[in-house]
Amino acid sequence: MSALSSYLPSNSHRINLWSTTFAGSVFLGEWTPESVGDYASGTNHVLPTYGYARMYGGVSLDSFLKYMTVQSLTEEGLTKLGPYVAAMAEVEGLEAHKRAVTLRLQDIEARQVSGLR
C-alpha cells in the first residue's frame, strides 16, 4: 500500500499516482491543497479515515445516486453459465438459487429433445 502526503510535487505526481493503491481523494501538485477539495473543487471534505479508503471513496454527488444493474441472458448464455452457477449455489447451500437455474436448464433440454425452440 502506498500513502500520499497532502500534496505531491507536480514533477512526480504521475509516477506516485499510479503506485497509489488506496486513497479517498488525491490532491496532485503543490498548488492543490486538501482544503480546496474540502470547499471548492467538488470532491467534498468527507473522506474515509482509519483505512476505509481501501473499500470506499469520499462522499460526492455519486453517493446520492441510485444505481441499478440489469442482466439478460440468452438461452445459449444460460446453457453455458447455468451449470457453473448451479454448482456454486449448491456449494453455498442455496437450494432455491440452484433450482432457479436447473429447472430452466431442464426446460431448455426438454425443448431441444422434442425439437421445439
Side-chain angles (χ1 to χ4, degrees):
M1 179 177 94
S2 175
L4 292 174
S5 61
S6 292
Y7 72 90
L8 296 172
S10 58
N11 61 350
S12 67
H13 71 274
R14 286 188 175 93
I15 294 168
N16 289 331
L17 180 61
W18 296 118
S19 65
T20 300
T21 311
F22 309 113
S25 192
V26 177
F27 302 91
L28 294 177
E30 62 185 315
W31 306 115
T32 316
E34 185 178 345
S35 52
V36 171
D38 287 354
Y39 303 111
S41 66
T43 58
N44 197 303
H45 67 277
V46 181
L47 296 174
T49 56
Y50 303 110
Y52 283 96
R54 294 171 193 236
M55 299 165 283
Y56 304 104
V59 173
S60 70
L61 287 176
D62 284 343
S63 303
F64 301 97
L65 296 176
K66 181 178 180 265
Y67 295 95
M68 177 175 61
T69 60
V70 177
Q71 298 90 62
S72 178
L73 286 177
T74 62
E75 186 177 295
E76 179 185 6
L78 184 60
T79 301
K80 289 180 178 180
L81 286 177
Y84 301 103
V85 174
M88 288 187 284
E90 183 175 356
V91 168
E92 291 185 345
L94 301 174
E95 189 61 30
H97 277 21
K98 177 183 173 185
R99 288 188 52 78
V101 172
T102 56
L103 289 173
R104 286 172 173 83
L105 291 174
Q106 290 169 4
D107 182 56
I108 291 169
E109 185 177 338
R111 285 187 294 111
Q112 288 175 346
V113 168
S114 67
L116 301 174
R117 281 254 319 148

